[in-house]
């Protein structure tokens, strides 16, 4: 992918110690600012074609996509967060244990092991017949938040479980995205699947995405500030993908917790420039 076709995809690398700052991986986390705005971004991962942009503009030429967004149900972005000291200690312990395993076994094995456990819980919640975000165990929510925070590639692999194609939900594939995000096969597949999902005219699995949103919101409610921003950013991404107007406030809250939160900034830029998955413009 050339430098002049930057997009708003969420791909990022796993740092040497599993703790990677997006600013240190500029080639892996791309935005639509540096390429001249939304029309320069490919539809692949959050951009849109010029034709789609034209269809979503009003008579004055301003992007009208935000008018298509409606408030969804769930947690309110400003809902009070209650952090138990035990959960705060658990998050720090999980991070330290991961760092130790990175040193002892190497980051690939440590990331694969941790992500496999977190992803299994995540998928079980998404597929549960009687899902209730308040039934999600605190220790597992802490593990989710810490994993998203320490490994951006793991965070993005979890996003793929929400917006990727329904027929491609093999946990082994998501582990590959998390551990080896820049392997040619994984990178190409992620881009291809996001392209197709973004350009689709039919609605995604909105209920599944909303479940992911609620899980992330619940995680953000119980973990310390240092671990809450990434779950909120993922929640905002899911909201943006399904046309939930809470995306704006949720992304803003993520940035308030972490000023360097690139994913949340990308979502805000997309919203302000009228970029949205194309099914939103075609829904009744």
């Amino acid at each position: 992918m050339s430098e002049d076709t930057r997009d708003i995809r969420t791909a990022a690398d796993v740092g040497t110690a599993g703790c990677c700052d997006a600013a240190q991986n500029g080639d892996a986390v791309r935005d639509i600012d540096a390429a001249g705005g939304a029309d320069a971004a490919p539809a692949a991962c959050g951009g849109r074609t010029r034709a789609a942009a034209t269809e979503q503009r009003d008579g004055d030429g301003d992007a009208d996509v935000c008018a298509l967004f409606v408030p969804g149900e769930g947690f309110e972005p400003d809902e009070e967060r209650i952090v138990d000291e035990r959960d705060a200690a658990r998050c720090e312990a999980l991070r330290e244990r991961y760092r130790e395993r990175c040193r002892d076994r190497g980051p690939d094995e440590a990331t694969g092991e941790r992500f496999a456990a977190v992803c299994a819980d995540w998928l079980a919640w998404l597929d549960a017949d009687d899902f209730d975000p308040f039934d999600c165990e605190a220790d597992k929510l802490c593990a989710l938040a810490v994993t998203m925070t320490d490994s951006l590639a793991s965070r993005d692999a979890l996003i793929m479980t929400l917006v990727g194609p329904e027929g491609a939900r093999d946990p082994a594939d998501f582990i590959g995205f998390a551990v080896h995000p820049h392997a040619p096969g994984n990178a190409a597949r992620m881009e291809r699947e996001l392209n197709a999902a973004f350009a689709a005219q039919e609605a995604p699995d909105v209920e599944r995405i909303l479940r992911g949103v609620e899980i992330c919101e619940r995680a953000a409610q119980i973990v310390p500030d240092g671990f809450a921003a990434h779950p909120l950013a993922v929640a905002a991404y899911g909201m943006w993908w399904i046309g939930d107007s809470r995306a704006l406030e949720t992304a803003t809250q993520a940035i308030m917790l972490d000023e360097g939160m690139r994913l949340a900034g990308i979502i805000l830029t997309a919203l302000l420039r009228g970029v949205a998955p194309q099914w939103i413009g075609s829904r009744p």
Side-chain angles (χ1 to χ4, degrees):
M1 186 176 298
S2 63
E3 289 299 319
D4 61 346
T5 55
R6 296 182 181 273
D7 54 43
I8 67 169
R9 77 180 189 177
T10 64
D13 199 4
V14 180
T16 303
C19 303
C20 166
D21 186 275
Q24 297 173 353
N25 294 274
D27 290 338
V29 183
R30 301 177 183 276
D31 58 54
I32 60 177
D33 271 335
D39 291 336
C45 309
R48 58 177 175 170
T49 62
R50 292 181 183 277
T54 301
E55 292 172 0
Q56 292 180 346
R57 294 180 183 277
D58 60 20
D60 296 327
D62 295 322
D64 196 32
V65 69
C66 288
L68 299 173
F69 279 54
V70 295
E73 297 181 358
F75 298 93
E76 292 299 325
D78 58 355
E79 191 167 339
E80 183 179 0
R81 296 173 56 237
I82 302 176
V83 180
D84 188 290
E85 291 183 1
R86 292 169 296 180
D87 291 330
R90 183 179 288 120
C91 287
E92 293 297 339
L94 286 166
R95 166 170 281 180
E96 183 55 33
R97 186 184 312 157
Y98 175 55
R99 289 175 171 172
E100 289 177 357
R101 291 185 179 180
C102 283
R103 291 191 293 267
D104 295 341
R105 305 180 186 180
D108 288 355
E109 183 177 341
T111 299
E113 179 184 61
R114 181 173 71 164
F115 180 80
V118 168
C119 187
D121 293 330
W122 170 262
L123 293 176
W125 289 330
L126 293 180
D127 297 331
D129 292 333
D130 54 349
F131 171 76
D132 184 334
F134 289 97
D135 290 337
C136 298
E137 300 91 330
D139 59 330
K140 294 180 179 180
L141 290 172
C142 289
L144 175 68
V146 174
T147 297
M148 287 183 172
T149 302
D150 286 350
S151 169
L152 301 190
S154 294
R155 180 199 69 186
D156 298 340
L158 293 170
I159 288 176
M160 289 298 296
T161 69
L162 299 178
V163 304
E166 184 175 350
R169 292 178 180 169
D170 186 339
D173 293 332
F174 300 129
I175 293 173
F177 291 151
V179 179
H180 302 293
H182 293 307
N186 290 334
R189 179 178 175 182
M190 181 179 283
E191 182 173 349
R192 182 173 64 252
E193 291 181 358
L194 283 174
N195 263 321
F198 182 85
Q201 297 299 312
E202 63 274 11
D205 188 341
V206 173
E207 181 179 355
R208 182 183 181 85
I209 294 173
L210 276 173
R211 285 188 175 193
V213 166
E214 289 182 316
I215 294 166
C216 289
E217 289 177 310
R218 180 64 181 146
Q221 280 189 319
I222 71 167
V223 299
D225 289 358
F227 298 100
H230 284 276
L232 284 173
V234 173
Y237 190 96
M239 292 171 181
W240 168 74
W241 195 274
I242 61 175
D244 184 336
S245 61
R246 294 177 300 153
L248 182 64
E249 190 171 355
T250 303
T252 301
Q253 186 181 19
I255 291 175
M256 291 176 64
L257 292 173
D258 180 356
E259 294 181 356
M261 176 54 61
R262 287 285 301 275
L263 177 57
I266 287 166
I267 294 165
L268 290 178
T269 302
L271 288 167
L272 293 173
R273 294 188 174 176
V275 181
Q278 294 190 21
W279 80 274
I280 292 175
S282 62
R283 67 183 177 182

